[in-house]
Amino acid sequence: MELFEIVDENDRVIGTARRSECHGNPALIHRAVHVLVVNQKGDLLLQKRSARKDIQPGKWDTSVGGHLEIGESYRDAAVREMHEELGLTGLPLTFLYTSRIRNAIESENIATFLTRYDGEVTWNEHEITEVRFWTVTEIDAVLGCGVFTPNFEEEWAMFREFRRRYVTERASGPGLCAGDSFPDLVRGID
């Protein structure tokens, strides 16, 4: 039985609930992480959710997404989920922003991180049926057509706004700083 920490609107833990209770009861706010994986060209890695997933099966989604385990930090969850879903380890993560997803199915407080990776990906075939890098143009061309999860479309809008507000001085593609320092990030991801 998978348990999630239930939090209040200020992200303070107020209890626990089973995963099955959280997915279907939007009053039970729980925590999740997203990791956006970009390559040197600025393309974004997306995963196609397995048909076995309980929410949004068969749709393209954020590079990495998962729930926090009890007592786990957002950063530790991001590292764990990146390894579990894509087999990626040892990559620097840059924290980008927090967000809240509220819909008829669930309520999540999310921390989003960014990393860069250009190698091969060995994904978890139980959770994911395919991964590939998408260009900004490819993503924008199919927004609103049911190809992506609604959560990814919200994430994409937040990421685009983040990039608009924090343009890098660098002209040669995206750059990352290790750890928590602010990224020299996004001119090449346009």
Side-chain angles (χ1 to χ4, degrees):
M1 173 176 64
E2 190 175 7
L3 287 177
F4 295 161
E5 289 177 328
I6 303 305
V7 297
D8 64 16
E9 287 292 340
N10 296 312
D11 210 42
R12 293 182 299 239
V13 176
I14 57 172
T16 60
R18 292 187 312 273
R19 175 191 183 101
S20 59
E21 293 175 284
C22 294
H23 290 170
N25 183 351
L28 298 175
I29 305 169
H30 53 286
R31 294 172 170 163
V33 293
H34 290 170
V35 179
L36 302 175
V37 179
V38 296
N39 63 16
Q40 178 66 35
K41 296 185 294 187
D43 301 332
L44 178 62
L45 184 73
L46 297 180
Q47 62 166 275
K48 188 172 186 182
R49 296 171 63 82
S50 164
R52 294 184 291 263
K53 297 295 271 185
D54 58 341
I55 295 178
Q56 301 294 326
K59 294 198 175 183
W60 287 92
D61 204 359
T62 305
S63 310
V64 173
H67 298 96
L68 276 66
E69 294 179 351
I70 292 180
E72 190 174 37
S73 72
Y74 283 103
R75 177 173 292 286
D76 288 346
V79 169
R80 177 182 52 77
E81 288 287 346
M82 214 169 37
H83 175 69
E84 287 177 7
E85 292 186 2
L86 301 177
L88 303 179
T89 59
L91 298 175
L93 289 173
T94 300
F95 171 76
L96 296 182
Y97 45 78
T98 59
S99 61
R100 296 175 179 196
I101 298 290
R102 304 291 189 261
N103 59 45
I105 298 170
E106 65 180 340
S107 296
E108 292 182 334
N109 290 351
I110 301 169
T112 299
F113 297 85
L114 180 74
T115 194
R116 192 174 81 201
Y117 183 73
D118 288 285
E120 293 294 316
V121 177
T122 306
W123 63 88
N124 179 335
E125 293 181 2
H126 180 74
E127 293 191 30
I128 302 167
T129 58
E130 183 180 353
V131 299
R132 77 172 180 89
F133 284 97
W134 291 63
T135 66
V136 170
T137 303
E138 289 174 320
I139 292 170
D140 287 344
V142 293
L143 284 173
C145 295
V147 172
F148 303 123
T149 66
N151 287 2
F152 171 72
E153 291 199 3
E154 287 184 44
E155 179 80 56
W156 183 244
M158 287 181 281
F159 185 54
R160 299 280 308 239
E161 176 60 18
F162 176 86
R163 289 181 14 232
R164 186 190 65 73
R165 290 182 24 216
Y166 300 105
V167 176
T168 178
E169 296 295 323
R170 195 172 162 182
S172 62
L176 295 173
C177 297
D180 287 322
S181 38
F182 192 81
D184 173 17
L185 187 63
V186 287
R187 178 155 291 159
I189 310 176
D190 291 320

